[in-house]
Amino acid sequence: MRKDKVSGPGPDRAMESRIQLEEIRMLYGSMMFSMLATFVVSLIMYLVLLGHSNSTESLSLWFAVMVLSILLRSWDTYRFIHTTPDEQGRKSWGRRFLIGSTFAGFWWGMLSWLGYSVENEYQTLIVVCIVGVAGGALATLSYRWRTIVFFLMPALLLLELRLVLESNDFFQVVAYLLAVFILFTLSTSRRAYKNSNQNIRLRIEADFREDALTAAKNEAEQANEAKSIFLSNMSHELRTPLNAIIGYTLLLQHDDSLKSKQQDNLMEINVAGELLLELVNQVLDLASIEEGSLKVCMEPVSLDRILHQCVSLVQPMADKNRIHLNCNNSVNAHVMADPTRLKQIILNLLSNAIKYNSANGSVTIHCSLVGDERVRIQVEDSGIGIPQDKLSSLFEPFNRLDINTKKIEGTGIGLTISKKLAEMMNGSLDVQSEIGKGSSFRVELQAHHVSSLPDTPLHPGTGHKTPNMDPDCLARARKILIVEDNPTNLRLISSQLNTLGYDADIASNGREALAMTRSNNYSLVLTDCNMPIMDGYELTAELRKNNNRVPVIALTADAFPEREQECLSAGMNGRMIKPVSLQQLDNMLGQWL
Ligand code: ADP
């Protein structure tokens, strides 16, 4: 990386030391081959010149020192290769390599002196050998400019000097040629060095980028995990008291002794509790979608049925706001969707259309076919509309658009979730709006072509009897074991069970419950998941280990979807998320008793 691209001295220094390390690694990396080649060439030269050089002793000295230098440099290379990467970064390796190369260059140059022969052909051989060695060094030493210069200069200059001192005309010419060769080699080695340095820089720059990306990814993953844990814990903590608030208000609604003013107050508490619960649910949904843990279960869904349910759910709100609600479902189609999630989307669109409307306004649902494959559900209102410049940020989380909506209750995440859910169901959600005239939200989903599909219940196996308090039902009631450590929740669930006509025993932790199941024959166990001493998972695992097949239903405030799998893996038969309404409780019990 060029220095101008590096921000700050920290990364710059780190980059430079990585480059130095890489250079030294490349140099040592090619050493073993160089040493082998040096040994072979010097041995050949020694054997060829033996008997032809002026002094055999000088030649032998040259060869012996060359072999010694090869051994020392090979030993140094061996140590470098076997040392730790941190140790390889020390500057002393570079210094030692430079000394070794300088000496090697010097000693090759000395061949022209110590192996000097008066026979022209042998002297020529020495020239060819040294020039060849210099050429070979270009390939192995040019990772560092200093190293190549310190090797080439002594080798070639000593040879040049030797040739200049020759009285022979032929060698005078060779000396000129060698001078040209020296200049040529220097410029070539400079270019080779620049190229290799550039390559090293680019490679390290890429490594640095990759390291930074990996670090950022790990950091983001850790932050995401921490966020999920935090949300899971918070949702548990918020749901537990909400469970008590909503559950008790639901129970008290059945209390005939309350005055109507008290019933009204009760309703207020209930509405506030439900609102808070919805916020918790929405935040949890968004977190699960972002984390990728929210799954949709696709099945053919009758639009007629879903729209009917949604309209009846929002009708009281429309009446209260004096909004005229129309549903025009002429196509009577089926779509491929997750029924619960589709309902969530339509309810969000309908409640927005009612909320952001004015008295005597209207909300209309149209369904139409888009080609053969898609169905469009359009929720149109005659409300306040959305300015064009705000439309692009409409689906951003927690963005309430800062328009005339401050006094209207809301969280700003409903549409974000709806759009993401529509996309998860292979569909889309978009909007057209005109300020002062109204908005039109369009959900498009894949059509399912079964004109004769029976109008099946939305959740097969869960649509059961409504709460039934008649004496027959009371007589059929069987014994249930509640395992719960929180006294408020315990009181609530016991009274809910009593209201539904079931008899219940209580245990405050798994171990106590386990002992009770040994002496009693329970029809069902309703257990909290997180408890001191022994939690609900361990309790269930113990029951299954003892071959006790009693249905175990988790009753937990932790609404994270992945907990469901944990419950099932522990051997539980189902899970209910607190707060549980009388209806939900009755449905679940009806399924297992
Ligand atoms: P919330 O309604 O809880 O604020 P949403 O995500 O459902 O959150 O909507 C985001 C914002 O989009 C709302 O605060 C409102 O400003 C705007 N909005 C949504 N639906 C409509 C609509 N039908 N008409 C006008 N504005 C709307």
Side-chain angles (χ1 to χ4, degrees):
M1 184 160 89
R2 280 168 296 283
K3 284 188 183 172
D4 56 349
K5 282 196 183 169
V6 182
S7 55
D12 197 4
R13 251 205 312 275
M15 168 82 76
E16 286 310 316
S17 42
R18 274 282 291 276
I19 290 172
Q20 304 270 327
L21 177 63
E22 204 53 30
E23 283 177 357
I24 201 79
R25 278 189 182 152
M26 306 286 267
L27 288 172
Y28 273 105
S30 54
M31 268 296 273
M32 278 308 183
F33 171 75
S34 304
M35 289 303 95
L36 192 68
T38 307
F39 177 72
V40 173
V41 174
S42 47
L43 180 66
I44 293 172
M45 288 306 288
Y46 173 66
L47 294 177
V48 172
L49 290 176
L50 210 58
H52 297 281
S53 67
N54 284 4
S55 157
T56 305
E57 290 77 31
S58 302
L59 180 68
S60 301
L61 173 73
W62 177 83
F63 182 63
V65 172
M66 187 55 108
V67 171
L68 188 68
S69 117
I70 291 171
L71 288 175
L72 283 173
R73 294 181 75 202
S74 301
W75 168 239
D76 192 43
T77 307
Y78 176 84
R79 284 183 47 221
F80 178 83
I81 291 170
H82 289 89
T83 195
T84 59
D86 277 355
E87 278 289 308
Q88 288 180 344
R90 286 171 59 167
K91 285 214 162 93
S92 56
W93 292 109
R95 270 200 304 273
R96 268 211 298 283
F97 195 92
L98 188 65
I99 293 169
S101 314
T102 311
F103 180 78
F106 167 74
W107 209 240
W108 273 113
M110 285 304 287
L111 178 63
S112 57
W113 294 82
L114 298 177
Y116 183 71
S117 170
V118 283
E119 296 170 58
N120 280 0
E121 57 267 44
Y122 289 98
Q123 192 58 7
T124 309
L125 184 69
I126 289 174
V127 174
V128 170
C129 169
I130 295 175
V131 167
V133 166
L138 277 185
T140 54
L141 295 181
S142 58
Y143 299 113
R144 257 193 194 174
W145 174 237
R146 245 178 316 155
T147 321
I148 188 81
V149 173
F150 278 49
F151 175 84
L152 289 180
M153 285 304 103
L156 296 176
L157 289 179
L158 279 170
L159 177 63
E160 178 74 29
L161 192 61
R162 176 71 260 177
L163 294 173
V164 169
L165 293 179
E166 290 281 347
S167 48
N168 185 322
D169 282 351
F170 170 71
F171 287 116
Q172 290 297 320
V173 175
V174 174
Y176 284 122
L177 288 177
L178 185 66
V180 175
F181 177 76
I182 291 173
L183 292 176
F184 171 77
T185 318
L186 278 180
S187 87
T188 310
S189 58
R190 180 76 189 160
R191 264 205 310 278
Y193 161 74
K194 277 190 172 168
N195 277 343
S196 76
N197 184 270
Q198 180 87 354
N199 285 341
I200 293 174
R201 276 179 188 276
L202 287 174
R203 192 149 37 84
I204 290 172
E205 193 183 32
D207 284 356
F208 263 55
R209 282 211 193 104
E210 204 179 309
D211 289 353
L213 275 177
T214 316
K217 188 171 157 259
N218 290 343
E219 216 170 286
E221 274 171 6
Q222 274 168 14
N224 208 21
E225 203 175 312
K227 188 184 83 179
S228 299
I229 294 170
F230 172 76
L231 279 171
S232 169
N233 291 343
M234 277 307 285
S235 107
H236 185 273
E237 295 306 311
L238 290 170
R239 276 166 174 277
T240 304
L242 271 176
N243 173 40
I245 295 168
I246 298 173
Y248 272 111
T249 54
L250 286 171
L251 263 180
L252 281 173
Q253 277 170 8
H254 295 272
D255 188 341
D256 297 335
S257 64
L258 290 183
K259 295 186 192 125
S260 85
K261 176 77 185 151
Q262 288 170 319
Q263 283 286 1
D264 288 349
N265 292 344
L266 208 55
M267 278 308 293
E268 290 291 329
I269 299 171
N270 189 269
V271 168
E274 293 283 0
L275 250 171
L276 206 52
L277 184 63
E278 188 178 323
L279 176 61
V280 173
N281 283 339
Q282 283 190 339
V283 172
L284 198 63
D285 268 357
L286 189 62
S288 307
I289 291 173
E290 281 179 353
E291 197 200 358
S293 61
L294 193 134
K295 302 273 175 289
V296 286
C297 307
M298 302 291 275
E299 58 183 80
V301 176
S302 155
L303 267 190
D304 211 30
R305 191 177 180 82
I306 272 252
L307 291 178
H308 182 75
Q309 288 193 2
C310 292
V311 168
S312 28
L313 277 167
V314 296
Q315 190 66 60
M317 183 184 178
D319 292 345
K320 195 173 152 210
N321 291 25
R322 281 184 286 139
I323 302 292
H324 192 60
L325 194 54
N326 309 300
C327 184
N328 176 9
N329 177 22
S330 51
V331 293
N332 192 21
H334 282 78
V335 288
M336 282 307 291
D338 178 323
T340 313
R341 296 305 179 181
L342 178 56
K343 205 161 124 185
Q344 185 176 348
I345 297 174
I346 297 173
L347 281 176
N348 176 235
L349 298 182
L350 283 176
S351 62
N352 278 352
I354 297 169
K355 276 196 302 187
Y356 305 110
N357 215 320
S358 38
N360 300 320
S362 69
V363 173
T364 312
I365 310 169
H366 291 288
C367 292
S368 54
L369 286 171
V370 184
D372 276 352
E373 298 300 321
R374 317 260 304 162
V375 174
R376 180 180 294 159
I377 308 156
Q378 196 161 341
V379 177
E380 257 177 14
D381 64 64
S382 60
I384 58 175
I386 303 163
Q388 290 301 311
D389 60 325
K390 303 271 181 189
L391 283 178
S392 57
S393 47
L394 187 64
F395 298 102
E396 284 171 7
F398 303 104
N399 192 342
R400 300 209 67 212
L401 302 188
D402 219 9
I403 48 179
N404 204 7
T405 57
K406 291 230 168 78
K407 289 190 195 106
I408 304 170
E409 267 165 3
T411 57
I413 38 181
L415 283 178
T416 315
I417 295 172
S418 296
K419 188 171 175 67
K420 293 196 172 176
L421 286 176
E423 285 163 1
M424 284 171 78
M425 295 190 288
N426 306 319
S428 62
L429 170 61
D430 58 44
V431 61
Q432 284 177 344
S433 187
E434 207 175 317
I435 195 89
K437 288 203 169 160
S439 311
S440 165
F441 285 83
R442 293 181 309 190
V443 185
E444 277 188 24
L445 291 166
Q446 227 156 350
H448 183 82
H449 300 289
V450 273
S451 49
S452 58
L453 197 81
D455 222 5
T456 48
L458 283 174
H459 300 289
T462 55
H464 318 282
K465 54 189 170 103
T466 48
N468 190 346
M469 313 295 176
D470 76 33
D472 281 357
C473 176
L474 286 171
R476 282 201 307 273
R478 279 177 279 174
K479 209 165 211 182
I480 291 172
L481 175 62
I482 311 168
V483 196
E484 171 67 81
D485 63 319
N486 181 310
T488 314
N489 285 344
L490 191 60
R491 272 203 310 278
L492 173 61
I493 191 73
S494 318
S495 42
Q496 282 181 315
L497 285 173
N498 285 339
T499 310
L500 290 173
Y502 292 97
D503 202 7
D505 278 352
I506 48 177
S508 58
N509 62 59
R511 193 183 296 160
E512 216 175 288
L514 200 61
M516 290 169 77
T517 56
R518 289 194 184 113
S519 45
N520 291 282
N521 214 357
Y522 292 106
S523 310
L524 187 136
V525 176
L526 266 178
T527 180
D528 188 15
C529 286
N530 301 316
M531 286 174 294
I533 305 177
M534 183 187 279
D535 64 22
Y537 305 108
E538 217 180 321
L539 163 67
T540 317
E542 284 296 322
L543 285 172
R544 301 301 181 238
K545 228 194 276 173
N546 300 340
N547 241 345
N548 189 336
R549 308 312 310 163
V550 60
V552 179
I553 306 295
L555 196 58
T556 170
D558 187 343
F560 259 65
E562 56 264 39
R563 299 286 176 272
E564 172 120 39
Q565 197 44 51
E566 272 175 49
C567 293
L568 298 179
S569 309
M572 294 180 188
N573 301 79
R575 180 179 78 138
M576 285 196 289
I577 296 164
K578 297 171 186 171
V580 179
S581 69
L582 270 180
Q583 175 81 60
Q584 286 170 315
L585 187 62
D586 192 43
N587 284 347
M588 182 59 98
L589 297 178
Q591 213 184 333
W592 293 101
L593 295 177

